Amino acid sequence: MTYDRSRLESDLCALEGAPVFVAYNANVDAIVRVDTELESALDRPTKPGERAPPSPLTSKRDLAAAITHAMATGRGDEVAMADEFAAALESGLEPDSQQMGGQTGIITNLVSALGAAPIAYTYLLSDRQLSMFDRPDAVRYPAVENGQVALIPLREAAAADRTKINWVFEFGVDDELFGVRATEATRFIAASRPAEFDLTTGALDAHVDQVGEVVEGALLAGYHNLTPAHVDDGYAERLRHARDVLRRLRSGGDPKVHVECAVTHDDALREAIYELILPEANVIGADASELAFLHDDAGIEAVDDEPTDNTPFRADEILTHYRMLSALREDLDVECIRLHAMEYHLTVMDSYLPPEAVLRGMKFAAVNAATKAARGGITAPGDLETGLTYDPSTDGREAIEHLAKHVDETADDGTLCTPTLVACPNRVVEDPAGTVGIGDIVSASSFTLELAVADDHRKQEQ
């Protein structure tokens, strides 16, 4: 079925008032365009573009090395900053603009803009952070008093003195820094890691099941924000606590839980997240780079020519992505795992939701992704009219047809929908206004809609 204005209006109606829990990470993104002015503010690195950045970043030279490496590879990246350097950058560099950042912040803004009813938790909810929520009156915050969770207006949540700030350095194709030209339009994120973040939520941890009773789903992210400073002896103890909280959330009303991946170069942290958090999810979302990390971390037999966002597109790369997702889903024993790639969205699942609901969510997500890329943000349902003006990717359709032949199925209008495999082309914007958060937009819009329409599709099957 063609996705048109009528379908969009129907999907938005389905989302109206849909309750969803979102946690843990929100911050302010300080956006800086890569140009000659930025170059003058940094120190030239040794062999620009050639060396992977150190972690954490401790100097302007480290930062320049990280940005040029991302430009040379054509792959978005994120590396943590040491606290001292984060403070120095905040006092010495002026951003071109500021916006909501962090997966929880981006997702909360989206689902509230689309008419859903988010319950959001994040630490360091300062007045500056609060100002970044587009519709704070539509967001509720889980406060606990005498063992009972009260969903209060976001504005009434206790305010923090400190704000978490991430620096986002955006560049387009052929933009240059220290002689290195960007091969793709993407960004590098220099992320702060405040000591206040430790994946505990105070009294809410013991009573989060009460939140689970009133939501249909939860979008959880931010586990990658942990650093050695947050733990005494490795990550396992803190992540076991987070795992127990996740289980308690699901015990309330058994909401579906979506865990959104993010890049971290801390091998020990990625390993702990893989072992302790990801198996507890119903759904895992990742982009091509994150999928490659997951695949390597799992120790699964290597796949030849693993495609990432910086490799030239080939229609048959979807077969590799399909094999990687299938192997990871089986290894983690989760219901669903999906990829949001540049040209297509791909889901591998088992006993999750009706595949028609999943496909509907993915088509909706493609419109959201194009809107975010074209406009730089989504602040109202009417904004999605922009996304409809971009056609589904021809390369994406070709790739999905290639996959359909591989699994002896037929691609219908460029999409694939089976009980265990769903795929649809993305809507690609060639010159995006911004790239940060598009993956979060895809995951949040697809997940919330598929939950909202799943019962209708089940009834149609009966």
Side-chain angles (χ1 to χ4, degrees):
M1 178 184 294
T2 301
Y3 198 98
D4 54 17
R5 182 177 286 104
S6 175
R7 172 57 76 187
L8 175 60
E9 292 175 352
S10 176
D11 287 347
L12 289 169
C13 285
L15 280 179
E16 189 68 33
V20 61
F21 179 53
V22 192
Y24 290 91
N25 58 328
N27 54 261
V28 172
D29 276 348
I31 311 296
V32 178
R33 186 72 188 182
V34 173
D35 55 18
T36 56
E37 184 177 354
L38 174 65
E39 182 172 302
S40 68
L42 301 179
D43 296 329
R44 184 181 184 88
T46 303
K47 297 183 178 179
E50 296 184 19
R51 294 183 177 179
S55 180
L57 305 176
T58 62
S59 68
K60 292 181 179 180
R61 182 169 281 104
D62 286 350
L63 178 57
I67 298 171
T68 56
H69 185 263
M71 294 173 72
T73 61
R75 183 170 62 230
D77 200 2
E78 177 176 333
V79 177
M81 297 180 287
D83 286 346
E84 297 82 1
F85 180 55
L89 206 58
E90 184 175 352
S91 63
L93 187 62
E94 188 70 26
D96 296 321
S97 62
Q98 298 182 68
Q99 65 185 31
M100 175 68 83
Q103 292 154 304
T104 292
I106 292 168
I107 289 170
T108 300
N109 265 355
L110 174 73
V111 296
S112 62
L114 298 180
I119 299 166
Y121 172 83
T122 186
Y123 70 114
L124 294 182
L125 187 59
S126 66
D127 290 338
R128 183 176 176 186
Q129 183 72 72
L130 184 61
S131 72
M132 296 291 170
F133 286 90
D134 293 330
R135 299 189 178 194
D137 294 339
V139 182
R140 294 172 292 170
Y141 184 89
V144 180
E145 185 174 352
N146 297 324
Q148 294 298 311
V149 174
L151 302 178
I152 65 175
L154 187 65
R155 295 184 191 275
E156 296 180 11
D161 294 330
R162 182 177 178 181
T163 301
K164 182 183 188 300
I165 299 175
N166 284 0
W167 291 84
V168 181
F169 299 91
E170 293 195 326
F171 45 85
V173 176
D174 288 335
D175 282 347
E176 187 173 335
L177 184 70
F178 293 113
V180 176
R181 289 186 178 275
T183 59
E184 297 287 346
T186 182
R187 78 291 181 274
F188 173 77
I189 300 174
S192 62
R193 294 289 186 257
E196 290 87 345
F197 179 81
D198 62 2
L199 286 175
T200 60
T201 62
L204 181 62
D205 283 351
H207 305 287
V208 72
D209 56 302
Q210 296 177 41
V211 177
E213 292 173 357
V214 298
V215 298
E216 298 177 5
L219 284 144
L220 304 181
Y223 300 98
H224 68 292
N225 279 359
L226 283 176
T227 73
H230 296 126
V231 298
D232 295 326
D233 186 20
Y235 296 110
E237 180 179 356
R238 197 55 48 88
L239 285 170
R240 286 193 188 99
H241 173 84
R243 179 191 62 187
D244 292 343
V245 172
L246 197 161
R247 289 175 174 174
R248 194 172 300 121
L249 169 69
R250 292 185 61 181
S251 72
D254 197 25
K256 296 290 188 183
V257 172
H258 185 298
V259 172
E260 184 69 1
C261 294
V263 168
T264 173
H265 295 278
D266 186 327
D267 294 343
L269 177 56
R270 289 204 318 273
E271 180 181 356
I273 293 172
Y274 189 91
E275 292 181 0
L276 295 170
I277 300 300
L278 296 186
E280 303 298 324
N282 300 97
V283 188
I284 297 168
D287 64 18
S289 298
E290 293 153 1
L291 179 62
F293 271 121
L294 288 175
H295 193 262
D296 292 344
D297 292 343
I300 299 170
E301 183 177 349
V303 175
D304 292 338
D305 299 324
E306 288 185 7
T308 61
D309 288 336
N310 67 306
T311 54
F313 177 79
R314 304 189 322 269
D316 62 351
E317 75 176 25
I318 198 171
L319 301 184
T320 302
H321 283 151
Y322 168 60
R323 295 186 186 105
M324 294 169 74
L325 290 169
S326 298
L328 284 167
R329 195 209 64 76
E330 183 175 350
D331 188 62
L332 289 165
D333 194 26
V334 295
E335 295 177 11
C336 177
I337 183 167
R338 55 176 153 229
L339 167 74
H340 38 83
M342 178 69 73
E343 305 292 344
Y344 51 81
H345 301 152
L346 178 62
T347 295
V348 173
M349 60 187 186
D350 179 37
S351 302
Y352 176 50
L353 297 176
E356 295 81 9
V358 175
L359 178 59
R360 187 167 164 182
M362 292 167 69
K363 288 183 175 181
F364 181 64
V367 174
N368 278 261
T371 303
K372 164 68 173 175
R375 299 174 65 98
I378 300 171
T379 59
D383 291 350
L384 298 186
E385 295 282 350
T386 299
L388 283 177
T389 66
Y390 291 87
D391 293 329
S393 164
T394 301
D395 286 341
R397 292 171 62 98
E398 179 184 350
I400 291 166
E401 290 168 358
H402 193 78
L403 176 60
K405 292 179 181 179
H406 178 76
V407 296
D408 295 324
E409 295 285 349
T410 301
D412 181 18
D413 193 29
T415 66
L416 182 59
C417 187
T418 80
T420 59
L421 178 60
V422 181
C424 83
N426 196 14
R427 296 175 183 243
V428 179
V429 177
E430 295 298 335
D431 187 20
T435 59
V436 176
I438 290 180
D440 304 324
I441 295 294
V442 170
S443 290
S445 55
S446 60
F447 179 67
T448 51
L449 182 65
E450 69 195 16
L451 291 181
V453 303
D455 286 342
D456 290 342
H457 285 283
R458 288 192 185 99
K459 292 174 183 177
Q460 293 173 13
E461 292 175 352
Q462 294 175 352

Coordinates of all heavy atoms in Angstrom, one line a residue, residues 341-393:
A341 N 19.4 2.0 8.2 CA 20.5 2.3 7.3 C 20.1 3.5 6.4 O 19.0 4.0 6.5 CB 20.8 1.1 6.4
M342 N 21.1 4.0 5.7 CA 20.8 5.2 4.9 C 19.7 4.9 3.9 O 18.8 5.8 3.7 CB 22.1 5.6 4.1 CG 21.9 6.8 3.2 SD 21.6 8.3 4.2 CE 23.3 8.6 4.8
E343 N 19.7 3.8 3.2 CA 18.8 3.6 2.1 C 17.5 2.7 2.4 O 16.6 2.7 1.7 CB 19.5 2.9 0.9 CG 20.7 3.6 0.4 CD 20.4 5.0 -0.3 OE1 19.2 5.2 -0.6 OE2 21.3 5.8 -0.4
Y344 N 17.6 2.0 3.6 CA 16.5 1.1 3.9 C 16.5 0.9 5.4 O 17.4 1.1 6.1 CB 16.6 -0.2 3.1 CG 17.9 -0.9 3.3 CD1 18.3 -1.6 4.4 CD2 18.9 -0.8 2.2 CE1 19.5 -2.3 4.5 CE2 20.1 -1.4 2.3 CZ 20.4 -2.1 3.5 OH 21.6 -2.8 3.6
H345 N 15.3 0.4 5.8 CA 15.1 0.0 7.2 C 14.8 -1.5 7.2 O 14.0 -2.0 6.3 CB 14.0 0.7 7.9 CG 14.1 2.2 7.9 ND1 13.1 3.1 7.9 CD2 15.3 2.9 7.9 CE1 13.6 4.3 8.0 NE2 14.9 4.2 7.9
L346 N 15.4 -2.3 8.1 CA 15.4 -3.7 8.0 C 15.2 -4.3 9.4 O 15.9 -4.0 10.4 CB 16.7 -4.3 7.4 CG 16.9 -5.8 7.3 CD1 15.8 -6.4 6.4 CD2 18.3 -6.1 6.8
T347 N 14.2 -5.2 9.6 CA 13.8 -5.8 10.8 C 13.8 -7.3 10.7 O 13.2 -7.9 9.8 CB 12.4 -5.3 11.3 OG1 12.5 -3.9 11.6 CG2 12.0 -6.0 12.6
V348 N 14.5 -8.0 11.7 CA 14.4 -9.4 11.8 C 13.8 -9.7 13.2 O 14.2 -9.1 14.2 CB 15.9 -10.0 11.7 CG1 15.8 -11.5 12.0 CG2 16.5 -9.8 10.4
M349 N 12.8 -10.6 13.2 CA 12.1 -10.8 14.4 C 11.5 -12.2 14.5 O 11.6 -13.0 13.6 CB 10.9 -9.8 14.5 CG 9.9 -9.9 13.4 SD 8.7 -8.6 13.4 CE 7.6 -9.1 12.1
D350 N 11.0 -12.5 15.7 CA 10.4 -13.8 16.0 C 9.4 -13.6 17.1 O 9.8 -13.2 18.2 CB 11.5 -14.8 16.4 CG 10.9 -16.2 16.7 OD1 10.0 -16.6 16.1 OD2 11.4 -16.8 17.7
S351 N 8.2 -13.9 16.9 CA 7.1 -13.8 17.9 C 7.1 -12.4 18.6 O 6.9 -12.3 19.8 CB 7.3 -14.9 19.0 OG 7.4 -16.2 18.5
Y352 N 7.1 -11.4 17.8 CA 7.1 -10.0 18.3 C 5.7 -9.5 18.1 O 4.7 -9.9 18.7 CB 8.2 -9.2 17.6 CG 8.2 -7.7 17.9 CD1 8.1 -7.3 19.3 CD2 8.2 -6.7 17.0 CE1 8.1 -6.0 19.6 CE2 8.2 -5.4 17.3 CZ 8.1 -5.0 18.6 OH 8.1 -3.7 18.9
L353 N 5.5 -8.6 17.2 CA 4.2 -8.1 16.8 C 3.8 -8.5 15.4 O 4.6 -9.0 14.7 CB 4.2 -6.5 16.9 CG 4.5 -5.9 18.3 CD1 4.6 -4.4 18.2 CD2 3.5 -6.3 19.3
P354 N 2.5 -8.3 15.0 CA 2.1 -8.6 13.7 C 3.0 -7.9 12.7 O 3.3 -6.7 12.8 CB 0.7 -8.1 13.6 CG 0.2 -8.2 15.0 CD 1.3 -7.9 15.8
P355 N 3.6 -8.6 11.7 CA 4.5 -8.0 10.7 C 3.9 -6.8 10.0 O 4.6 -5.8 9.7 CB 4.9 -9.1 9.8 CG 3.8 -10.1 9.9 CD 3.4 -10.0 11.3
E356 N 2.6 -6.8 9.8 CA 1.9 -5.6 9.2 C 2.0 -4.4 10.0 O 2.2 -3.3 9.5 CB 0.5 -6.0 8.9 CG 0.2 -7.1 7.9 CD 0.4 -8.5 8.5 OE1 0.5 -8.5 9.8 OE2 0.4 -9.5 7.8
A357 N 2.0 -4.6 11.3 CA 2.1 -3.4 12.2 C 3.6 -2.9 12.2 O 3.8 -1.7 12.2 CB 1.8 -3.8 13.7
V358 N 4.5 -3.8 12.1 CA 5.9 -3.4 12.1 C 6.2 -2.7 10.8 O 6.9 -1.6 10.8 CB 6.8 -4.7 12.2 CG1 8.3 -4.3 12.0 CG2 6.6 -5.3 13.6
L359 N 5.7 -3.2 9.7 CA 5.9 -2.5 8.4 C 5.3 -1.1 8.4 O 5.8 -0.1 7.9 CB 5.3 -3.3 7.2 CG 5.4 -2.7 5.8 CD1 6.9 -2.4 5.5 CD2 4.7 -3.6 4.8
R360 N 4.1 -1.0 9.0 CA 3.4 0.3 9.1 C 4.3 1.3 9.9 O 4.4 2.4 9.5 CB 2.1 0.1 9.7 CG 1.2 1.3 9.7 CD -0.2 1.0 10.1 NE -1.0 2.2 10.4 CZ -2.3 2.1 10.8 NH1 -2.9 0.9 10.9 NH2 -2.9 3.2 11.1
G361 N 4.9 0.8 11.0 CA 5.7 1.6 11.8 C 7.0 2.1 11.0 O 7.4 3.2 11.1
M362 N 7.5 1.2 10.2 CA 8.8 1.5 9.4 C 8.5 2.5 8.3 O 9.3 3.4 8.1 CB 9.4 0.2 8.9 CG 9.9 -0.7 10.0 SD 10.3 -2.4 9.4 CE 11.7 -2.1 8.4
K363 N 7.3 2.4 7.7 CA 7.0 3.4 6.6 C 6.8 4.7 7.3 O 7.2 5.8 6.7 CB 5.7 2.9 5.9 CG 5.9 1.8 5.0 CD 4.6 1.4 4.2 CE 4.8 0.3 3.2 NZ 3.5 0.1 2.5
F364 N 6.1 4.8 8.4 CA 5.9 6.0 9.2 C 7.3 6.6 9.5 O 7.5 7.8 9.4 CB 5.1 5.7 10.4 CG 4.8 6.9 11.2 CD1 4.0 8.0 10.8 CD2 5.2 7.0 12.6 CE1 3.7 9.1 11.6 CE2 4.9 8.1 13.4 CZ 4.2 9.1 12.9
A365 N 8.2 5.7 10.0 CA 9.5 6.2 10.4 C 10.3 6.8 9.2 O 11.1 7.8 9.4 CB 10.3 5.0 11.0
A366 N 10.1 6.3 8.0 CA 10.8 6.8 6.9 C 10.4 8.3 6.6 O 11.2 9.1 6.2 CB 10.6 6.0 5.6
V367 N 9.1 8.5 6.8 CA 8.6 9.9 6.6 C 9.1 10.8 7.7 O 9.5 12.0 7.4 CB 7.0 9.9 6.7 CG1 6.5 11.3 6.6 CG2 6.5 9.1 5.5
N368 N 9.2 10.3 8.9 CA 9.8 11.1 10.0 C 11.2 11.4 9.8 O 11.7 12.5 10.0 CB 9.6 10.3 11.3 CG 8.3 10.5 12.0 OD1 8.1 11.3 12.9 ND2 7.3 9.8 11.5
A369 N 12.0 10.4 9.3 CA 13.4 10.6 9.0 C 13.7 11.6 8.0 O 14.5 12.5 8.1 CB 14.0 9.3 8.6
A370 N 12.9 11.6 6.9 CA 13.0 12.6 5.8 C 12.7 14.0 6.3 O 13.3 15.0 6.0 CB 12.2 12.2 4.6
T371 N 11.6 14.1 7.2 CA 11.2 15.4 7.7 C 12.3 15.9 8.6 O 12.7 17.1 8.5 CB 9.9 15.2 8.6 OG1 8.9 14.7 7.7 CG2 9.5 16.5 9.1
K372 N 12.9 15.1 9.5 CA 14.0 15.5 10.4 C 15.2 16.0 9.6 O 15.8 17.1 9.9 CB 14.4 14.4 11.3 CG 15.7 14.5 12.0 CD 15.7 15.6 13.0 CE 17.0 15.6 13.8 NZ 17.1 16.7 14.8
A373 N 15.5 15.2 8.5 CA 16.7 15.6 7.7 C 16.5 16.9 6.9 O 17.3 17.7 6.8 CB 17.0 14.5 6.7
A374 N 15.3 17.1 6.4 CA 15.0 18.2 5.6 C 14.8 19.5 6.4 O 15.2 20.6 6.0 CB 13.7 18.0 4.7
R375 N 14.1 19.4 7.5 CA 13.7 20.6 8.3 C 14.7 20.8 9.5 O 14.7 21.9 10.1 CB 12.3 20.4 8.9 CG 11.2 20.3 7.8 CD 9.9 20.0 8.4 NE 9.4 21.1 9.2 CZ 8.6 22.1 8.8 NH1 8.1 22.1 7.6 NH2 8.2 23.1 9.7
G376 N 15.4 19.8 9.9 CA 16.3 19.9 11.0 C 15.6 19.5 12.3 O 16.2 19.4 13.4
G377 N 14.3 19.4 12.3 CA 13.5 19.0 13.5 C 12.1 18.8 13.2 O 11.6 19.1 12.1
I378 N 11.3 18.2 14.1 CA 9.9 17.9 14.0 C 9.3 18.5 15.3 O 9.5 18.0 16.4 CB 9.6 16.4 13.9 CG1 10.3 15.8 12.7 CG2 8.1 16.2 13.9 CD1 10.2 14.3 12.6
T379 N 8.4 19.5 15.1 CA 7.8 20.2 16.3 C 6.3 20.0 16.3 O 5.7 20.4 17.3 CB 8.2 21.7 16.3 OG1 7.7 22.3 15.1 CG2 9.7 21.8 16.4
A380 N 5.7 19.6 15.2 CA 4.2 19.4 15.1 C 3.9 18.4 14.1 O 4.7 18.1 13.1 CB 3.6 20.8 14.7
P381 N 2.7 17.7 14.2 CA 2.3 16.7 13.2 C 2.4 17.2 11.8 O 2.7 16.4 10.9 CB 0.9 16.3 13.7 CG 0.9 16.6 15.1 CD 1.7 17.8 15.3
G382 N 2.0 18.4 11.6 CA 1.9 19.0 10.2 C 3.3 19.0 9.6 O 3.4 19.1 8.3
D383 N 4.4 19.0 10.3 CA 5.7 19.0 9.8 C 6.0 17.8 8.9 O 6.8 17.8 7.9 CB 6.8 19.0 10.9 CG 6.8 20.3 11.6 OD1 6.1 21.3 11.2 OD2 7.5 20.4 12.7
L384 N 5.3 16.7 9.2 CA 5.5 15.5 8.4 C 5.1 15.5 7.0 O 5.4 14.7 6.2 CB 4.8 14.3 9.1 CG 5.3 14.0 10.5 CD1 4.6 12.7 11.0 CD2 6.8 13.8 10.6
E385 N 4.3 16.6 6.6 CA 4.0 16.8 5.2 C 5.3 16.9 4.4 O 5.3 16.5 3.2 CB 3.1 18.0 5.1 CG 1.7 17.9 5.7 CD 0.7 17.1 4.9 OE1 1.1 16.8 3.7 OE2 -0.3 16.8 5.4
T386 N 6.3 17.5 5.0 CA 7.6 17.6 4.3 C 8.1 16.3 3.9 O 8.6 16.1 2.8 CB 8.6 18.4 5.2 OG1 8.1 19.7 5.5 CG2 9.9 18.5 4.5
G387 N 8.1 15.3 4.9 CA 8.7 14.0 4.6 C 8.0 13.3 3.4 O 8.6 12.5 2.7
L388 N 6.7 13.6 3.3 CA 5.9 12.9 2.2 C 6.4 13.4 0.8 O 6.1 12.7 -0.2 CB 4.4 13.2 2.4 CG 3.7 12.4 3.4 CD1 2.2 12.9 3.5 CD2 3.7 10.9 3.1
T389 N 7.0 14.5 0.8 CA 7.5 15.1 -0.5 C 8.7 14.3 -1.1 O 9.1 14.5 -2.2 CB 7.7 16.6 -0.5 OG1 8.9 16.8 0.4 CG2 6.5 17.3 0.1
Y390 N 9.4 13.6 -0.2 CA 10.5 12.8 -0.7 C 10.1 11.4 -1.0 O 9.5 10.7 -0.2 CB 11.6 12.8 0.4 CG 12.2 14.2 0.6 CD1 11.6 15.1 1.5 CD2 13.4 14.6 0.0 CE1 12.2 16.4 1.7 CE2 13.9 15.9 0.1 CZ 13.3 16.7 1.0 OH 13.8 18.0 1.1
D391 N 10.5 10.9 -2.1 CA 10.2 9.5 -2.6 C 11.0 8.5 -1.8 O 12.2 8.8 -1.5 CB 10.4 9.4 -4.1 CG 9.4 10.3 -4.9 OD1 8.3 10.5 -4.4 OD2 9.8 10.7 -6.0
P392 N 10.4 7.3 -1.7 CA 11.2 6.2 -1.2 C 12.5 6.0 -2.0 O 12.4 6.1 -3.3 CB 10.3 5.0 -1.2 CG 8.9 5.6 -1.1 CD 9.0 6.9 -1.9
S393 N 13.6 5.6 -1.4 CA 14.8 5.5 -2.1 C 14.8 4.4 -3.1 O 14.4 3.2 -2.9 CB 15.9 5.1 -1.0 OG 17.1 4.6 -1.7

